[in-house]
Amino acid sequence: LLAPAMHTNMWENPATRKNVQTLQARGARFIGPVAGELSSGDRGLGRLAPEEDIYAEVLSVLSTGKWQGKKVMVSAGGTREPLDPVRFLGNRSSGRFGVEIARQFAWQGAQVTLLAANIEPTLLESLPGGVEVVATPSAGKMHQAALDYFPHMQVAVMAAAVADYQPVDFQSEKIKKVPNQQEFSLRLRSTADILADLASKKHSDQLVAGFAAETGSWEQVLQLGKEKARRKGADIIFINQVGTETGFGDIATRVCAVDGEGSEIGQFSGNKPQVATQIVTLVRQQVQ
Ligand code: CTP
């Protein structure tokens, strides 16, 4: 296991790239480098991976891998529904939670497919090499990919923030502003509920989990999440509170796990990597 740290120019130098490939081909695993401030004062890819990530990767290399041989699909990020060549309807999801869940599964030996909707490249680059990343930028593309991959999976954790509506018409030319027009209406049609669709198709040896992103007080969030769990048909729903200040991006989070009937089966809090670890542990208990 190698944890390199160097200047971006050196990391990206063709000689280094070739050496990295040779080592990977011989079975060496890399963690990092990650992007950020470098000792030269420049910014870029080249920082040593965080110690806790190196520690977790060491454990994973040394462990037999609790998820060895299992196939897991994770969705992450926010979908974008195109309006015209330059505009879309989107949301504030960073994709961080789903990426951390994918990372935990991969570290524990699972073969992971990540359905990635508009996630920052540096976040995707931080994933272990073996994770298969499938670009699913819109709700329609994610639905199709989910249906294609799901039959081969033991577990699906759908953490993406998927648009519930998409524009009825895609305008192939840029929509022009109408002078003096004060209001503008868009016609939208509903998208497929991917999670509910997978839940309705799953076999007894498959587990489907999703999220319920809710706003309001924690009590309201729990109530809305439990109602959602009863509607979706999934095995587990992870309820989390979102808003402009909570839930999205790189901040502490709190999650309540409920089963398909809305009964509580776990409560977790911490930063997203910590909660992701607890989520993967709970999924494992439910699979057994
Ligand atoms: N989801 C999905 N397909 C959609 C919308 C949501 O698969 N078209 C999934 C999400 O990935 C998540 C779960 O459903 O796992 C709940 O998403 P959320 O946005 O909380 O709920 P919605 O079903 O969209 O309901 P609402 O927006 O009314 O809260």
Side-chain angles (χ1 to χ4, degrees):
L1 175 65
L2 294 134
M6 63 190 80
H7 192 274
T8 314
N9 293 348
M10 188 173 175
W11 177 246
E12 289 176 353
N13 184 287
T16 314
R17 307 288 353 121
K18 190 96 196 355
N19 288 337
V20 168
Q21 277 171 15
T22 304
L23 287 164
Q24 281 171 333
R26 289 181 190 161
R29 264 165 76 163
F30 280 80
I31 172 150
V34 297
E37 196 178 344
L38 308 174
S39 52
S40 64
D42 297 332
R43 293 187 71 83
L45 205 58
R47 281 179 68 86
L48 187 73
E51 280 86 349
E52 59 271 25
D53 289 357
I54 298 175
Y55 176 70
E57 188 90 41
V58 168
L59 289 187
S60 131
V61 168
L62 296 178
S63 78
T64 49
K66 295 174 198 149
W67 285 91
Q68 212 71 48
K70 296 267 190 292
K71 289 189 175 175
V72 174
M73 177 169 84
V74 178
S75 76
T79 63
R80 293 179 179 177
E81 309 309 314
L83 285 162
D84 71 12
V86 295
R87 301 185 180 96
F88 57 81
L89 291 178
N91 61 69
R92 285 160 42 83
S93 170
S94 66
R96 181 79 203 267
F97 221 158
V99 165
E100 293 305 337
I101 292 168
R103 190 196 315 285
Q104 281 303 327
F105 276 117
W107 274 344
Q108 295 186 27
Q111 210 176 313
V112 180
T113 300
L114 179 71
L115 306 185
N118 308 296
I119 302 172
E120 240 186 75
T122 48
L123 203 50
L124 287 178
E125 280 157 20
S126 73
L127 279 167
V131 174
E132 178 186 21
V133 178
V134 181
T136 54
S138 64
K141 294 236 161 66
M142 183 172 282
H143 189 207
Q144 191 51 55
L147 291 178
D148 291 346
Y149 282 90
F150 184 59
H152 315 288
M153 300 291 154
Q154 272 87 51
V155 170
V157 178
M158 307 306 278
V162 184
D164 294 326
Y165 295 93
Q166 65 190 23
V168 170
D169 301 306
F170 170 76
Q171 305 290 335
S172 54
E173 305 297 337
K174 190 178 166 219
I175 302 167
K176 303 303 285 180
K177 181 167 66 185
V178 181
N180 302 322
Q181 182 181 283
Q182 299 297 314
E183 291 187 7
F184 181 86
S185 302
L186 275 176
R187 281 202 324 132
L188 304 176
R189 86 159 72 81
S190 62
T191 57
D193 190 321
I194 305 167
L195 180 68
D197 196 19
L198 296 184
S200 74
K201 291 185 165 69
K202 80 183 174 78
H203 294 142
S204 56
D205 57 348
Q206 290 178 305
L207 182 142
V208 173
F211 276 74
E214 308 294 350
T215 58
S217 70
W218 181 243
E219 287 66 35
Q220 288 167 325
V221 163
L222 281 183
Q223 197 196 328
L224 290 167
K226 287 174 183 176
E227 285 164 14
K228 192 172 284 177
R230 290 190 277 269
R231 280 199 307 271
K232 296 269 184 181
D235 299 293
I236 312 173
I237 290 287
F238 298 104
I239 304 171
N240 75 324
Q241 195 175 26
V242 292
T244 48
E245 302 297 325
T246 47
F248 292 120
D250 191 13
I251 37 179
T253 192
R254 183 174 173 191
V255 163
C256 174
V258 297
D259 64 17
E261 274 81 53
S263 304
E264 289 189 29
I265 51 175
Q267 289 249 18
F268 320 121
S269 59
N271 62 28
K272 287 186 176 168
Q274 288 165 340
V275 174
T277 311
Q278 299 169 72
I279 284 176
V280 170
T281 304
L282 182 87
V283 171
R284 189 174 147 70
Q285 288 160 0
Q286 299 292 313
V287 164
Q288 282 168 347

